[in-house]
Amino acid sequence: MAKNYLLPKGLVNRFQWVQTPIWMIEAAAFYSLLGFAKALPFPVVATIFGRLLGSFGYRNAQKRRVVRRNVSVVLPQASEGERETVVRRIFRVTGLAAAELFLLGRIWRRRAHYLEFSIHPEATDIIARKEAIIFATAHVGAWQLCNFIGREHDLNISVIYAPEPNPWLHRFFLERRRDFGGPMVPSAGGARTFLRELAAGNSVGAAFDTRVDQGEMVPFFGIPTPTSTLPAMLAMRGYTLLPIRTVRLPNCRFLIEVEAPLVPRNPQAPRAEQIIDLTHQLNQRFEAWISEYPDQWLCMKRRWPKAPVAPQSPDV
């Protein structure tokens, strides 16, 4: 998570004494935005946050360059003007995501109005049996709302989160995430955290479309890219791997869609090959989602490597 949201990291590193006051100011800003959001209807909040935060974020030249680079890979045939339109809309998504996170509780309480669910027939029986499941998503659409699949179907999905360095914002985000309804689990243990929760009978979920510098090189939009093999590795231990996404529909409605489980295409292949195969299949699902809604992919960090990276074993 970001150490600071309002000031450049270099400035804070030079003047350490400003860190605590800045953290307090940032927390006050977030709580003020929350109070503002709670006073208005959700569609109004989504519109305001989308426009304001989108405009503010687009002015960050460094982030803009990163998003442009990612979009150029996803939309190689688009014109420069078309890609720039997508870039602007991606920054708007940051505001939409903030509105959705701030008002998670309201979205759930009015789920009959805001939420629809679509579950693949092969996933329906697995969910009905209340098995420990690996839900894998990407930062496309309203990905944060995917956790509501647990509350809708009485699944115990552990909410695995990265703690905020800012103690006041740490509490702020924990309060928001409790609306997911599952136990809150810090991600400090890495893969061991996921294994522990699954062994305890809890489902787990996370977005796996971000760059992992020491990941295995797996094609993503046709380019070998460092990729996390964690969901595939967990699936090879006998847990079901289900792709899940939340599509934004018109009029501030959402479709939470669970797809068919992913399984190795050649169950007789060596374990390492099956892990790579499952990881590639998951990347292909992400590619399909991003290609369908390229302007809703929150890709603020460089996804593809600048130079070749030495991969780790998929069993790490």
Side-chain angles (χ1 to χ4, degrees):
M1 305 300 290
K3 188 174 182 179
N4 295 97
Y5 289 89
L6 298 180
L7 285 182
K9 181 173 63 175
L11 179 61
V12 175
N13 289 341
R14 288 179 59 192
F15 305 102
Q16 290 291 327
W17 61 270
V18 306
Q19 182 66 88
T20 297
I22 289 300
W23 275 349
M24 296 176 69
I25 293 171
E26 288 180 341
F30 273 75
Y31 276 104
S32 297
L33 282 173
L34 176 63
F36 174 78
K38 286 185 174 181
L40 297 171
F42 171 68
V44 175
V45 176
T47 299
I48 294 174
F49 277 28
R51 290 178 179 175
L52 290 183
L53 297 184
S55 176
F56 179 78
Y58 184 79
R59 295 177 183 178
N60 185 320
Q62 181 178 358
K63 291 292 185 184
R64 199 164 62 241
R65 284 194 298 270
V66 171
V67 174
R68 282 172 176 164
R69 185 183 301 119
N70 290 336
V71 169
S72 68
V73 175
V74 172
L75 300 173
Q77 305 302 323
S79 68
E80 183 175 344
E82 290 169 336
R83 287 199 293 265
E84 194 63 21
T85 297
V86 170
V87 169
R88 287 182 176 274
R89 289 176 178 172
I90 286 173
F91 280 96
R92 178 175 175 270
V93 166
T94 62
L96 298 180
E100 291 152 8
L101 177 63
F102 283 18
L103 298 179
L104 280 174
R106 186 186 301 177
I107 292 172
W108 175 250
R109 288 190 298 273
R110 298 194 61 199
R111 57 191 176 278
H113 176 74
Y114 288 121
L115 301 179
E116 299 177 21
F117 293 85
S118 174
I119 303 178
H120 191 279
E122 293 181 30
T124 300
D125 292 339
I126 296 167
I127 291 175
R129 293 196 296 267
K130 304 293 190 294
E131 297 180 359
I133 299 167
I134 310 149
F135 288 100
T137 191
H139 294 87
V140 185
W143 80 94
Q144 299 171 109
L145 305 189
C146 289
N147 281 289
F148 282 147
I149 193 70
R151 297 190 74 173
E152 178 71 10
H153 291 276
D154 195 28
L155 295 175
N156 205 30
I157 301 180
S158 297
V159 181
I160 299 174
Y161 67 94
E164 287 278 345
N166 181 334
W168 293 279
L169 281 184
H170 176 72
R171 183 176 66 180
F172 175 89
F173 285 114
L174 277 186
E175 290 170 350
R176 309 283 77 72
R177 290 170 177 139
R178 287 195 178 98
D179 286 315
F180 289 135
M184 308 297 295
V185 181
S187 59
R192 288 187 295 273
T193 299
F194 285 82
L195 286 168
R196 183 180 66 246
E197 294 303 308
L198 289 166
N202 298 331
S203 295
V204 297
F208 294 102
D209 59 314
T210 54
R211 187 181 80 252
V212 180
D213 288 334
Q214 297 301 316
E216 188 73 12
M217 300 299 287
V218 179
F220 189 53
F221 281 94
I223 300 174
T225 308
T227 306
S228 172
T229 58
L230 177 59
M233 180 271 290
L234 297 174
M236 291 300 296
R237 290 176 176 251
Y239 301 105
T240 302
L241 175 57
L242 292 180
I244 182 172
R245 66 170 177 167
T246 302
V247 179
R248 291 191 179 97
L249 302 176
N251 302 317
C252 285
R253 290 182 56 79
F254 305 93
L255 171 64
I256 299 176
E257 182 180 31
V258 182
E259 299 187 349
L262 298 182
V263 296
R265 282 173 280 209
N266 180 9
Q268 306 304 317
R271 173 187 172 84
E273 291 183 15
Q274 293 187 55
I275 289 174
I276 296 300
D277 173 47
L278 279 174
T279 304
H280 189 200
Q281 289 187 55
L282 191 57
N283 272 1
Q284 288 176 323
R285 298 312 309 139
F286 296 163
E287 290 175 16
W289 300 347
I290 294 167
S291 296
E292 186 175 1
Y293 299 103
D295 57 347
Q296 294 194 32
W297 182 37
L298 198 62
C299 53
M300 298 295 171
K301 294 186 178 181
R302 179 171 51 84
R303 183 62 185 94
W304 286 273
K306 292 181 178 179
V309 178
Q312 290 188 351
S313 164
D315 289 313
V316 170

CSV table of all heavy atoms in Angstrom, one decimal, residues 18-53:
chain,number,residue,atom,x,y,z
A,18,VAL,N,7.7,15.4,9.2
A,18,VAL,CA,6.4,15.7,8.7
A,18,VAL,C,5.5,14.5,8.5
A,18,VAL,O,4.4,14.6,8.2
A,18,VAL,CB,6.5,16.5,7.3
A,18,VAL,CG1,7.4,17.7,7.4
A,18,VAL,CG2,7.0,15.5,6.2
A,19,GLN,N,6.1,13.3,8.7
A,19,GLN,CA,5.4,12.0,8.4
A,19,GLN,C,4.1,11.9,9.2
A,19,GLN,O,3.0,11.7,8.6
A,19,GLN,CB,6.3,10.8,8.6
A,19,GLN,CG,5.6,9.5,8.3
A,19,GLN,CD,5.4,9.4,6.8
A,19,GLN,OE1,6.2,8.9,6.0
A,19,GLN,NE2,4.2,9.8,6.3
A,20,THR,N,4.2,12.0,10.5
A,20,THR,CA,3.0,11.9,11.3
A,20,THR,C,2.0,12.9,11.1
A,20,THR,O,0.8,12.6,10.9
A,20,THR,CB,3.4,11.8,12.8
A,20,THR,OG1,4.2,10.7,13.1
A,20,THR,CG2,2.1,11.7,13.7
A,21,PRO,N,2.3,14.2,11.0
A,21,PRO,CA,1.3,15.2,10.6
A,21,PRO,C,0.6,15.0,9.3
A,21,PRO,O,-0.6,15.1,9.1
A,21,PRO,CB,2.1,16.5,10.6
A,21,PRO,CG,3.2,16.3,11.5
A,21,PRO,CD,3.6,14.9,11.3
A,22,ILE,N,1.4,14.5,8.3
A,22,ILE,CA,0.8,14.3,7.0
A,22,ILE,C,-0.1,13.1,7.1
A,22,ILE,O,-1.2,13.1,6.5
A,22,ILE,CB,2.0,14.0,6.0
A,22,ILE,CG1,2.7,15.3,5.6
A,22,ILE,CG2,1.4,13.4,4.7
A,22,ILE,CD1,1.8,16.4,5.1
A,23,TRP,N,0.3,12.0,7.8
A,23,TRP,CA,-0.6,10.9,8.0
A,23,TRP,C,-2.0,11.3,8.6
A,23,TRP,O,-3.0,10.9,8.2
A,23,TRP,CB,0.0,9.8,8.8
A,23,TRP,CG,0.9,8.9,8.1
A,23,TRP,CD1,1.0,8.8,6.7
A,23,TRP,CD2,1.8,7.9,8.6
A,23,TRP,NE1,1.9,7.8,6.4
A,23,TRP,CE2,2.4,7.3,7.5
A,23,TRP,CE3,2.2,7.6,9.9
A,23,TRP,CZ2,3.4,6.3,7.7
A,23,TRP,CZ3,3.2,6.6,10.1
A,23,TRP,CH2,3.7,5.9,9.0
A,24,MET,N,-1.9,12.2,9.6
A,24,MET,CA,-3.1,12.7,10.2
A,24,MET,C,-4.0,13.5,9.3
A,24,MET,O,-5.2,13.3,9.2
A,24,MET,CB,-2.8,13.5,11.5
A,24,MET,CG,-2.1,12.7,12.6
A,24,MET,SD,-1.5,13.7,14.0
A,24,MET,CE,-3.1,14.1,14.7
A,25,ILE,N,-3.3,14.3,8.5
A,25,ILE,CA,-4.1,15.1,7.5
A,25,ILE,C,-4.7,14.2,6.4
A,25,ILE,O,-5.9,14.4,6.1
A,25,ILE,CB,-3.1,16.1,6.8
A,25,ILE,CG1,-2.7,17.2,7.9
A,25,ILE,CG2,-3.8,16.8,5.6
A,25,ILE,CD1,-1.6,18.1,7.4
A,26,GLU,N,-4.0,13.2,6.0
A,26,GLU,CA,-4.5,12.3,5.0
A,26,GLU,C,-5.7,11.5,5.5
A,26,GLU,O,-6.7,11.4,4.9
A,26,GLU,CB,-3.4,11.3,4.5
A,26,GLU,CG,-2.4,11.9,3.7
A,26,GLU,CD,-1.3,10.9,3.2
A,26,GLU,OE1,-1.2,9.9,3.9
A,26,GLU,OE2,-0.6,11.2,2.2
A,27,ALA,N,-5.6,11.1,6.8
A,27,ALA,CA,-6.7,10.3,7.4
A,27,ALA,C,-7.9,11.2,7.5
A,27,ALA,O,-9.1,10.8,7.3
A,27,ALA,CB,-6.3,9.8,8.7
A,28,ALA,N,-7.7,12.5,7.9
A,28,ALA,CA,-8.8,13.4,8.1
A,28,ALA,C,-9.5,13.7,6.7
A,28,ALA,O,-10.7,13.8,6.6
A,28,ALA,CB,-8.3,14.8,8.6
A,29,ALA,N,-8.7,13.7,5.6
A,29,ALA,CA,-9.2,13.9,4.3
A,29,ALA,C,-10.1,12.7,3.9
A,29,ALA,O,-11.2,12.9,3.3
A,29,ALA,CB,-8.1,14.1,3.3
A,30,PHE,N,-9.6,11.5,4.2
A,30,PHE,CA,-10.4,10.3,3.8
A,30,PHE,C,-11.7,10.2,4.6
A,30,PHE,O,-12.8,9.9,4.1
A,30,PHE,CB,-9.6,9.0,4.1
A,30,PHE,CG,-8.7,8.7,2.9
A,30,PHE,CD1,-7.6,9.4,2.6
A,30,PHE,CD2,-9.1,7.6,2.1
A,30,PHE,CE1,-6.8,9.0,1.5
A,30,PHE,CE2,-8.3,7.2,1.0
A,30,PHE,CZ,-7.1,7.9,0.7
A,31,TYR,N,-11.7,10.6,5.9
A,31,TYR,CA,-12.9,10.5,6.7
A,31,TYR,C,-13.9,11.6,6.3
A,31,TYR,O,-15.1,11.4,6.4
A,31,TYR,CB,-12.5,10.6,8.2
A,31,TYR,CG,-12.2,9.3,8.8
A,31,TYR,CD1,-10.8,9.0,9.1
A,31,TYR,CD2,-13.1,8.4,9.2
A,31,TYR,CE1,-10.5,7.8,9.7
A,31,TYR,CE2,-12.8,7.2,9.7
A,31,TYR,CZ,-11.5,6.9,10.0
A,31,TYR,OH,-11.1,5.7,10.6
A,32,SER,N,-13.3,12.7,5.9
A,32,SER,CA,-14.2,13.8,5.3
A,32,SER,C,-14.9,13.4,4.1
A,32,SER,O,-16.1,13.6,3.9
A,32,SER,CB,-13.4,15.1,5.1
A,32,SER,OG,-12.8,15.6,6.3
A,33,LEU,N,-14.1,12.7,3.2
A,33,LEU,CA,-14.7,12.2,2.0
A,33,LEU,C,-15.8,11.2,2.3
A,33,LEU,O,-16.9,11.1,1.6
A,33,LEU,CB,-13.7,11.6,1.0
A,33,LEU,CG,-12.8,12.6,0.2
A,33,LEU,CD1,-11.7,11.8,-0.5
A,33,LEU,CD2,-13.6,13.3,-0.8
A,34,LEU,N,-15.5,10.3,3.3
A,34,LEU,CA,-16.5,9.3,3.7
A,34,LEU,C,-17.8,10.0,4.2
A,34,LEU,O,-18.9,9.6,3.8
A,34,LEU,CB,-15.9,8.4,4.8
A,34,LEU,CG,-16.9,7.4,5.3
A,34,LEU,CD1,-17.3,6.4,4.3
A,34,LEU,CD2,-16.2,6.6,6.5
A,35,GLY,N,-17.7,11.0,5.0
A,35,GLY,CA,-18.9,11.7,5.5
A,35,GLY,C,-19.6,12.3,4.4
A,35,GLY,O,-20.9,12.3,4.3
A,36,PHE,N,-18.9,12.9,3.4
A,36,PHE,CA,-19.6,13.5,2.2
A,36,PHE,C,-20.3,12.4,1.4
A,36,PHE,O,-21.4,12.6,1.0
A,36,PHE,CB,-18.5,14.1,1.3
A,36,PHE,CG,-19.0,14.6,0.0
A,36,PHE,CD1,-19.7,15.8,-0.1
A,36,PHE,CD2,-18.7,13.9,-1.1
A,36,PHE,CE1,-20.2,16.3,-1.3
A,36,PHE,CE2,-19.2,14.4,-2.4
A,36,PHE,CZ,-19.9,15.6,-2.5
A,37,ALA,N,-19.7,11.2,1.2
A,37,ALA,CA,-20.3,10.2,0.5
A,37,ALA,C,-21.5,9.6,1.1
A,37,ALA,O,-22.5,9.3,0.5
A,37,ALA,CB,-19.2,9.0,0.3
A,38,LYS,N,-21.5,9.5,2.5
A,38,LYS,CA,-22.6,8.9,3.2
A,38,LYS,C,-23.9,9.8,3.1
A,38,LYS,O,-25.0,9.4,3.3
A,38,LYS,CB,-22.3,8.7,4.6
A,38,LYS,CG,-21.4,7.4,4.8
A,38,LYS,CD,-21.1,7.1,6.3
A,38,LYS,CE,-20.3,5.8,6.4
A,38,LYS,NZ,-20.1,5.5,7.9
A,39,ALA,N,-23.6,11.1,2.8
A,39,ALA,CA,-24.7,12.1,2.8
A,39,ALA,C,-25.5,12.1,1.5
A,39,ALA,O,-26.5,12.8,1.4
A,39,ALA,CB,-24.2,13.5,3.2
A,40,LEU,N,-24.9,11.4,0.5
A,40,LEU,CA,-25.5,11.5,-0.9
A,40,LEU,C,-25.9,10.1,-1.4
A,40,LEU,O,-25.3,9.1,-1.0
A,40,LEU,CB,-24.5,12.1,-1.8
A,40,LEU,CG,-24.1,13.6,-1.5
A,40,LEU,CD1,-22.9,14.0,-2.4
A,40,LEU,CD2,-25.3,14.5,-1.7
A,41,PRO,N,-26.8,10.0,-2.4
A,41,PRO,CA,-27.1,8.8,-3.0
A,41,PRO,C,-25.8,8.2,-3.7
A,41,PRO,O,-25.0,8.9,-4.2
A,41,PRO,CB,-28.2,9.1,-4.1
A,41,PRO,CG,-28.7,10.4,-3.6
A,41,PRO,CD,-27.6,11.1,-2.9
A,42,PHE,N,-25.7,6.9,-3.8
A,42,PHE,CA,-24.5,6.2,-4.3
A,42,PHE,C,-24.3,6.7,-5.8
A,42,PHE,O,-23.1,7.0,-6.1
A,42,PHE,CB,-24.7,4.7,-4.3
A,42,PHE,CG,-23.6,4.0,-5.0
A,42,PHE,CD1,-22.3,4.0,-4.6
A,42,PHE,CD2,-23.9,3.3,-6.2
A,42,PHE,CE1,-21.3,3.4,-5.3
A,42,PHE,CE2,-22.9,2.6,-6.9
A,42,PHE,CZ,-21.6,2.7,-6.4
A,43,PRO,N,-25.3,6.7,-6.7
A,43,PRO,CA,-25.0,7.1,-8.1
A,43,PRO,C,-24.4,8.5,-8.1
A,43,PRO,O,-23.5,8.8,-9.0
A,43,PRO,CB,-26.3,7.1,-8.8
A,43,PRO,CG,-27.1,6.1,-8.0
A,43,PRO,CD,-26.7,6.3,-6.5
A,44,VAL,N,-24.8,9.4,-7.3
A,44,VAL,CA,-24.3,10.8,-7.3
A,44,VAL,C,-22.8,10.8,-6.8
A,44,VAL,O,-21.9,11.4,-7.4
A,44,VAL,CB,-25.1,11.7,-6.3
A,44,VAL,CG1,-24.4,13.1,-6.2
A,44,VAL,CG2,-26.5,11.8,-6.9
A,45,VAL,N,-22.5,10.0,-5.7
A,45,VAL,CA,-21.2,9.8,-5.2
A,45,VAL,C,-20.2,9.3,-6.3
A,45,VAL,O,-19.1,9.7,-6.5
A,45,VAL,CB,-21.1,9.0,-4.0
A,45,VAL,CG1,-19.7,8.8,-3.5
A,45,VAL,CG2,-21.9,9.6,-2.9
A,46,ALA,N,-20.7,8.2,-7.0
A,46,ALA,CA,-19.9,7.6,-8.1
A,46,ALA,C,-19.6,8.6,-9.2
A,46,ALA,O,-18.4,8.7,-9.6
A,46,ALA,CB,-20.6,6.4,-8.6
A,47,THR,N,-20.5,9.4,-9.6
A,47,THR,CA,-20.3,10.4,-10.6
A,47,THR,C,-19.3,11.5,-10.2
A,47,THR,O,-18.4,11.8,-10.9
A,47,THR,CB,-21.6,11.1,-11.0
A,47,THR,OG1,-22.5,10.1,-11.5
A,47,THR,CG2,-21.4,12.1,-12.1
A,48,ILE,N,-19.5,12.0,-8.9
A,48,ILE,CA,-18.6,13.0,-8.4
A,48,ILE,C,-17.2,12.5,-8.2
A,48,ILE,O,-16.2,13.1,-8.7
A,48,ILE,CB,-19.1,13.6,-7.1
A,48,ILE,CG1,-20.5,14.4,-7.4
A,48,ILE,CG2,-18.1,14.6,-6.5
A,48,ILE,CD1,-21.2,14.9,-6.1
A,49,PHE,N,-17.1,11.4,-7.6
A,49,PHE,CA,-15.7,10.8,-7.3
A,49,PHE,C,-15.0,10.5,-8.6
A,49,PHE,O,-13.8,10.7,-8.8
A,49,PHE,CB,-15.8,9.6,-6.5
A,49,PHE,CG,-15.9,9.8,-5.0
A,49,PHE,CD1,-16.5,11.0,-4.5
A,49,PHE,CD2,-15.5,8.9,-4.1
A,49,PHE,CE1,-16.6,11.3,-3.2
A,49,PHE,CE2,-15.6,9.2,-2.7
A,49,PHE,CZ,-16.1,10.4,-2.2
A,50,GLY,N,-15.8,9.9,-9.6
A,50,GLY,CA,-15.2,9.5,-10.9
A,50,GLY,C,-14.6,10.7,-11.6
A,50,GLY,O,-13.5,10.6,-12.1
A,51,ARG,N,-15.4,11.8,-11.6
A,51,ARG,CA,-14.9,13.0,-12.3
A,51,ARG,C,-13.7,13.7,-11.6
A,51,ARG,O,-12.7,14.0,-12.2
A,51,ARG,CB,-16.1,14.0,-12.5
A,51,ARG,CG,-17.1,13.4,-13.5
A,51,ARG,CD,-18.3,14.4,-13.6
A,51,ARG,NE,-19.3,14.0,-14.6
A,51,ARG,CZ,-20.4,14.6,-14.9
A,51,ARG,NH1,-20.7,15.7,-14.2
A,51,ARG,NH2,-21.2,14.1,-15.7
A,52,LEU,N,-13.9,13.9,-10.3
A,52,LEU,CA,-12.9,14.6,-9.5
A,52,LEU,C,-11.6,13.8,-9.4
A,52,LEU,O,-10.5,14.3,-9.7
A,52,LEU,CB,-13.4,15.0,-8.2
A,52,LEU,CG,-14.5,16.0,-8.1
A,52,LEU,CD1,-15.0,16.4,-6.7
A,52,LEU,CD2,-14.1,17.3,-8.9
A,53,LEU,N,-11.7,12.6,-8.9
A,53,LEU,CA,-10.5,11.8,-8.7
A,53,LEU,C,-9.8,11.4,-10.1
A,53,LEU,O,-8.6,11.3,-10.2
A,53,LEU,CB,-10.8,10.6,-7.9
A,53,LEU,CG,-11.3,10.8,-6.4
A,53,LEU,CD1,-11.4,9.5,-5.7
A,53,LEU,CD2,-10.3,11.8,-5.7
